[in-house]
């Protein structure tokens, strides 16, 4: 099956700093990537959808200036959490989908802890 | 907003079949029905998807109602490794998840 990786798998940062999370599709071209975050015992919450080469489309309530998404190539998307605060601590998950396909493949997730 | 309705939790005995239902009464004619599952502290895993006809793969079977307003994910013989939260979603471009069904498998 298709493989999606995320890096780092976990990160601890201090309040006010920025953190970048990478999402890579390893064996297919991801024309569309999705970013989710998940709080404990809750479902995944879609943050944004990005198509390669285009600006990301953010869900209502998600600050695009705080959660910067770049999808510059068909195998890489990045999510940068700027000026992180403790309430940004969460499990961030990306997924990827190739052109003409409807199923998406998920990365293993990145656990962010902001102290 | 979640467009699907699933039971919050279900239990099964090991090696018995499990039928996980999902209602998606607002589905449009071109939406595929997708099922994913998520184990603790992991990203979700693709299980199966379909449009109108029933689908089978190595993981599960998907039975789709004739009016497409509901579907059932069938695990033919549940194992302890199948314990997870199962999500069904529909909409080809809007991949928002509902609360899912937490499946517990008892040995």
């Amino acid at each position: 099956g298709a493989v999606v990786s995320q890096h780092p798998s976990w990160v601890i940062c201090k309040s006010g700093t920025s953190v970048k999370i990478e999402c890579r599709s390893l064996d297919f071209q991801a024309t569309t990537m999705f970013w989710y975050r998940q709080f404990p015992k809750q479902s995944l919450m879609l943050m944004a959808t990005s198509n390669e080469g285009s600006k990301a489309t953010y869900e209502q309530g998600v600050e695009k200036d705080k959660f910067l998404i770049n999808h510059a190539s068909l195998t890489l998307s990045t999510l940068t959490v700027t000026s992180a605060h403790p309430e940004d601590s969460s499990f961030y998950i990306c997924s990827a989908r190739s052109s003409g396909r409807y199923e998406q493949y998920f990365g293993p997730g990145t656990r962010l802890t902001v102290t | 907003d979640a467009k699907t309705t699933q039971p919050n939790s279900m239990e099964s005995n090991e090696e018995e079949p499990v039928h996980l239902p999902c209602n998606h009464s607002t589905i449009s004619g071109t939406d595929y029905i997708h099922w994913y599952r998520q184990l603790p502290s992991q990203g979700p895993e693709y299980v199966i998807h379909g449009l109108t006809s029933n689908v089978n793969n190595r993981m599960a079977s998907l039975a789709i109602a004739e009016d497409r307003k509901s579907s059932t994910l069938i695990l033919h013989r549940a194992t302890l490794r199948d314990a997870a939260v199962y999500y069904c979603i529909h909409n080809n471009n809007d991949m928002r998840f509902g609360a899912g069904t937490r499946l517990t498998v008892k040995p």
Side-chain angles (χ1 to χ4, degrees):
Chain A
V3 180
V4 176
S5 70
Q6 277 185 246
H7 177 81
S9 55
W10 60 271
V11 58
I12 301 172
C13 71
K14 291 188 175 181
S15 188
T17 61
S18 296
V19 175
K20 180 184 284 188
I21 301 170
E22 292 186 349
C23 176
R24 293 182 186 271
S25 57
L26 299 185
D27 52 2
F28 68 101
Q29 294 186 326
T31 49
T32 305
M33 285 186 167
F34 304 87
W35 285 95
Y36 297 85
R37 65 179 171 183
Q38 186 174 34
F39 295 106
K41 300 191 184 300
Q42 294 187 22
S43 183
L44 289 81
M45 187 192 82
L46 180 65
M47 299 176 68
T49 301
S50 74
N51 293 300
E52 185 264 337
S54 302
K55 289 184 178 180
T57 300
Y58 290 80
E59 293 296 295
Q60 191 172 9
V62 178
E63 302 173 57
K64 61 181 180 181
D65 294 331
K66 179 171 181 62
F67 299 99
L68 302 178
I69 291 172
N70 183 283
H71 188 176
S73 80
L74 286 171
T75 58
L76 174 65
S77 176
T78 59
L79 167 68
T80 301
V81 183
T82 62
S83 187
H85 291 287
E87 55 265 33
D88 298 323
S89 298
S90 188
F91 192 47
Y92 290 86
I93 307 169
C94 73
S95 69
R97 186 175 72 191
S98 60
S99 177
R101 310 283 300 190
Y102 294 114
E103 66 272 26
Q104 53 178 333
Y105 295 93
F106 287 83
T110 296
R111 188 162 302 283
L112 169 64
T113 301
V114 184
T115 62
Chain B
D1 294 337
K3 301 176 182 177
T4 59
T5 304
Q6 298 177 254
N8 289 334
S9 62
M10 291 184 66
E11 280 190 356
S12 170
N13 293 317
E14 197 175 11
E15 297 193 2
E16 290 186 354
V18 182
H19 290 229
L20 297 163
C22 180
N23 287 323
H24 30 80
S25 58
T26 61
I27 194 169
S28 72
T30 58
D31 285 353
Y32 278 77
I33 300 155
H34 305 254
W35 283 82
Y36 296 85
R37 69 181 185 182
Q38 185 179 26
L39 279 67
S41 299
Q42 295 186 26
E45 173 187 27
Y46 165 79
V47 178
I48 200 166
H49 76 285
L51 185 62
T52 56
S53 304
N54 295 342
V55 183
N56 300 299
N57 66 20
R58 64 175 180 83
M59 291 181 69
S61 295
L62 176 60
I64 301 172
E66 198 169 329
D67 63 4
R68 298 201 340 114
K69 294 184 184 302
S70 65
S71 63
T72 301
L73 180 71
I74 302 166
L75 306 179
H76 296 285
R77 289 184 65 198
T79 69
L80 297 178
R81 292 170 59 182
D82 291 322
V85 178
Y86 287 78
Y87 298 98
C88 84
I89 60 176
H90 70 87
N91 191 321
N92 298 330
N93 294 309
D94 173 6
M95 303 304 262
R96 297 193 184 112
F97 283 67
T101 296
R102 181 173 299 278
L103 175 66
T104 302
V105 180
K106 296 184 289 185

